[in-house]
Amino acid sequence: MKKILAALSALCAAVVAVAQTEITADFTETKTPVSPYLFGIFYEDINYAADGGLYGELIQNRSFEFSKSGKSFMEYWNPVSSENEVFCSRITECTESPLNKNNTVFLRLNVRQPGDGISNSGYDGINVKAGKIYPLSLYLRSPDSSVDKVQIELRNRKTLRKLFKTEFEISSEWKKYHAEVIPEKSCEEAELLVTVSSSDGTVDVDFVSLFASDIYNDEENGLKENLVLMLKQMKPGFIRFPGGCIVHGYNLENSYNWKDTVGPVEERKEKANFWGYQQSYGLGFYEYFRLCEDIGSQPLPVLRAGVSHYGHTCNSDELMQLAQDALDLIEWATGSRDSEWGKIRAEAGHPEPFELNYIGIGNEDCGEDYFYRYSYIASKIKEKYPEIKTVISSGYTYDDVNFHNAWNKVNEWEGSALYKNTVDLVDEHYYNPSAWFLMNSNRYDDREFYKTEKSFPKVFIGEYASWVEGRRGNLFAALTEAAYMTGIERNGDVIELASYAPLFARENHVQWIPDAVWFNDESVYGTPSYYVQSMFMNNKTDFSIKTAVENNKTIVDSHKMKGSVGLATWQTQAEYSNIKVTDISENKILYDSSSEKMNMKKLNVRSGSWSIKNNSLIQSDEGDNMRLTFEKLIKPSENYDFEVTARKIRGNEGFLIMFGVSKENFYWWNIGGWGNTQSCVQKGTAPSRTVIGDSKNITVESDREYKIKIEVRGDTYRCYLDGELLHEFTDCEEYKKIFAHVGETENEVIIKIVNAGNRKEKCSVVLNGADMLNPDAQIITLSGRVDSENSFENPCAVCPEISPAVIKSPDFTYTVKPYSFTIIKLTKKK
């Protein structure tokens, strides 16, 4: 019996030995160079990332320019008086003799009693600390010399307790006044008051500024230190800026003009932000380039290409100006202080040139109009500055018609004498479900599509993020990104740059999730994705070593589309009729509007203006994301048909047909999205969705009825438009458990291992032909529960842990934790 048990024990040990994952890196094979700037960040003013975020200004609408965006000039300002109703009528918007030609709106106080004035509570209340210094400045005048003094007060807006007070003597001409505001007590919800103590007179007010106390490097018009330090600790190779959708804007007038963002801050032209709020441009190109310089990152500015979000295109004269804008930017950044634009940079405080090697032209733009405009601007840049690398957009997702059209165009140009070398990098964007990143970690191994010739354009992954249902970004999402990034680093011969997106999100002011860094006025924390990015950036390799992963287990994950249905629109008015849902499993009609009178009380209106007319649903609000669901009425099994007749009344896009609705999560068939050009299915939540399956070109006509049918069969959908099958997709993933990359620098061998499974895994690591290594190693591990998130209350629920280890041989075994990202750093013997 003992012999039998011993034999069984030996057999089990042999099975375990064979079953463990083998990671083999061959240092004798050709090594692939990795870009020194490979991993960077994308910074767009979304989620109040600049105004109300990184930018140090604490006053919102400081220059009363919101009226230029269709809002009140008094937005975020309130009258201060004992008779508010009467007093409101004595606060007027003025443009006569303004501060300057760009800042044309100012506020006029027609004072009738002592204490008349205005107050501003910034972004959700001004958070101040006792004893700290908050620089204050504002412009004042009394045009008729009727008022000689103005008071500035900081107070608790709830208790009205005074925290600080000062007074300025003013004249009849505009003058800038300064003070250091030092609060007597700390307060999370303060407000700033501008008041007059006299009983009669006129005072003009403009550009009221109160800056944060902790500004990085104490720079004038600077950035908040705690947020800059979050970026500096990452060590990003580059920063892509300013976008993103704000580059091309809703229309051409709304697009981002870098020239509006440089020069004296009081003279910068404000503009409505694409994401629904105002841009002060206080954080402009000068501040952006300074930030890159301060934290050691390459700037990658993105310039408009004359194509708006909704397809408006510039004329030939405007295109010539856009090309000149690009040339002027290069001169502004790199020209001598004696050049026209270099002088403006020097006068701002930076006489020496900035470093500039990359320029993006357009964001998520596509189509022949864009290709023409890109080639024109890029050619002008190459004529004068051939060393500048230019970046072309490939659209907004990873594998649709626009994506392939862009790459086809690049291939065509590379074979053309006229346009060869006008593209250096192709900008790819994708926000996808987490498992997609695990299933596609070998995306860039495809050498037939992604060529490795030295002169052929490289890939720039300008925006990507892993999406996980209902989350801000948990550990599993971050691990799937880490797994994908091993493929990015492995393919350094085709990928030059890659940046996670978006970067910042202000609590309670969010237009997009997930995000790398969350903040409020008190605190800041990084998500697990932030730490994955930081781990790669701080442990980047110079060369990728050919690595094989064997005996790797497989994980299967199927997503059933069980849930209710719904209807929606995006900047479009629409009519939906003949709504029918059939449960196929039970062979039962769950709802049929042709035989049942509709009742709004039984429907779930999430957003928009919905009404019933002739037993049809009408949505008449042309805003974004107008949704209605049938959760009260319809709860089908995982096998059902959803049919509806849709008619576009007016607007920019088409129809959104929802299915698999489960609380905040859903799928929707987007028919006529992206300016009425595309049809595809998206999966996600209201603030964050991603394209799954394929995409087709389509345009929805107004006042035409479309017959729409969606068949759901467990984890598979089929979408029919007027009887034609347009989309079919199975939402089921099969992926490997372990992902690994081995690389080296001059002094180190760096091993990265991701375990996407729920059990620890013993990994046999073989470093074939590696240099002699010191036994002392460093282990960096990010791990935890699969759904763990960081928060303001627990900012380090998921944070890297660093520990020493002794590894005596280039062939060793290491056990990685479940749901973990591990970096093993070995130093070379000299």
Side-chain angles (χ1 to χ4, degrees), residues 106-120:
F106 60 91
L107 180 144
R108 175 162 290 173
L109 294 171
N110 295 294
V111 181
R112 293 293 179 270
Q113 60 182 3
D116 281 356
I118 52 174
S119 69
N120 188 297

Side-chain angles (χ1 to χ4, degrees), residues 47-329:
N47 307 324
Y48 283 73
D51 291 306
L54 181 62
Y55 183 46
E57 180 62 75
L58 302 179
I59 300 298
Q60 192 164 188
N61 191 17
R62 63 186 176 185
S63 56
F64 308 101
E65 299 293 313
F66 274 45
S67 59
K68 294 180 180 177
S69 304
K71 300 178 181 179
S72 168
F73 79 104
M74 278 287 287
E75 199 85 15
Y76 301 105
W77 290 92
N78 292 302
V80 178
S81 174
S82 59
E83 300 178 25
N84 282 341
E85 280 191 37
V86 176
F87 183 51
C88 283
S89 65
R90 293 190 276 106
I91 298 179
T92 57
E93 175 184 359
C94 289
T95 58
E96 182 182 352
S97 300
L99 197 59
N100 55 63
K101 65 179 181 179
N102 294 332
N103 185 357
T104 58
V105 177
F106 60 91
L107 180 144
R108 175 162 290 173
L109 294 171
N110 295 294
V111 181
R112 293 293 179 270
Q113 60 182 3
D116 281 356
I118 52 174
S119 69
N120 188 297
S121 53
Y123 300 86
D124 306 318
I126 301 172
N127 189 313
V128 295
K129 302 296 182 185
K132 290 273 191 177
I133 298 174
Y134 297 82
L136 167 79
S137 65
L138 75 165
Y139 285 84
L140 298 166
R141 73 178 176 189
S142 177
D144 57 2
S145 299
S146 56
V147 174
D148 59 0
K149 291 181 181 179
V150 170
Q151 288 74 44
I152 306 297
E153 182 179 332
L154 189 71
R155 72 181 184 186
N156 186 313
R157 65 173 177 169
K158 289 188 175 180
T159 66
L160 305 185
R161 179 184 177 128
K162 184 178 70 174
L163 305 171
F164 173 86
K165 189 172 184 178
T166 191
E167 185 175 73
F168 297 121
E169 294 185 359
I170 68 172
S171 68
S172 61
E173 301 296 328
W174 282 120
K175 182 181 175 182
K176 189 174 185 179
Y177 298 85
H178 298 268
E180 290 185 343
V181 175
I182 305 176
E184 296 175 358
K185 286 188 171 293
S186 298
C187 179
E188 294 182 1
E189 294 190 65
E191 61 180 351
L192 186 76
L193 280 67
V194 181
T195 60
V196 180
S197 59
S198 60
S199 59
D200 189 53
T202 303
V203 174
D204 293 340
V205 185
D206 205 354
F207 215 81
V208 183
S209 173
L210 182 69
F211 248 69
S213 60
D214 296 321
I215 295 297
Y216 184 72
N217 282 348
D218 293 323
E219 292 180 354
E220 187 176 352
N221 196 53
L223 310 179
K224 292 176 185 172
E225 185 174 56
N226 61 342
L227 296 182
V228 173
L229 290 178
M230 290 292 287
L231 305 185
K232 191 170 184 177
Q233 289 161 11
M234 294 179 83
K235 296 185 178 179
F238 67 92
I239 303 178
R240 177 177 180 249
F241 177 89
C245 290
I246 67 172
V247 170
H248 50 57
Y250 275 117
N251 51 47
L252 296 178
E253 292 72 28
N254 181 241
S255 62
Y256 193 104
N257 184 351
W258 75 267
K259 291 180 177 178
D260 291 341
T261 76
V262 297
V265 67
E266 298 93 333
E267 297 178 15
R268 299 181 187 179
K269 292 181 181 178
E270 291 199 7
K271 189 173 289 183
N273 184 297
F274 180 93
W275 298 106
Y277 54 95
Q278 189 88 348
Q279 295 173 105
S280 73
Y281 288 145
L283 196 167
F285 263 49
Y286 179 76
E287 290 73 26
Y288 157 58
F289 272 79
R290 282 295 301 268
L291 173 64
C292 291
E293 187 176 66
D294 286 344
I295 68 175
S297 303
Q298 287 283 311
L300 200 164
V302 183
L303 303 182
R304 53 189 180 161
V307 181
S308 77
H309 182 74
Y310 286 111
H312 312 98
T313 55
C314 67
N315 60 36
S316 57
D317 289 341
E318 292 167 332
L319 180 58
M320 291 173 63
Q321 182 58 54
L322 293 181
Q324 187 60 51
D325 288 344
L327 298 177
D328 292 343
L329 171 63

Side-chain angles (χ1 to χ4, degrees), residues 3-37:
K3 290 182 178 180
I4 294 173
L5 290 175
L8 287 173
S9 177
L11 177 62
C12 290
V15 169
V16 170
V18 172
Q20 71 184 13
T21 300
E22 298 174 2
I23 301 171
T24 303
D26 194 341
F27 287 76
T28 66
E29 292 277 354
T30 301
K31 301 172 183 179
T32 302
V34 177
S35 165
Y37 314 120

Side-chain angles (χ1 to χ4, degrees), residues 484-521:
Y484 193 74
M485 292 170 77
T486 63
I488 293 175
E489 196 164 20
R490 180 175 67 246
N491 288 287
D493 50 349
V494 298
I495 306 169
E496 186 162 337
L497 306 170
S499 51
Y500 177 93
L503 178 62
F504 285 126
R506 180 183 175 92
E507 184 75 0
N508 300 321
H509 295 278
V510 180
Q511 293 84 45
W512 188 279
I513 56 173
D515 305 280
V517 177
W518 287 74
F519 66 91
N520 56 29
D521 285 333

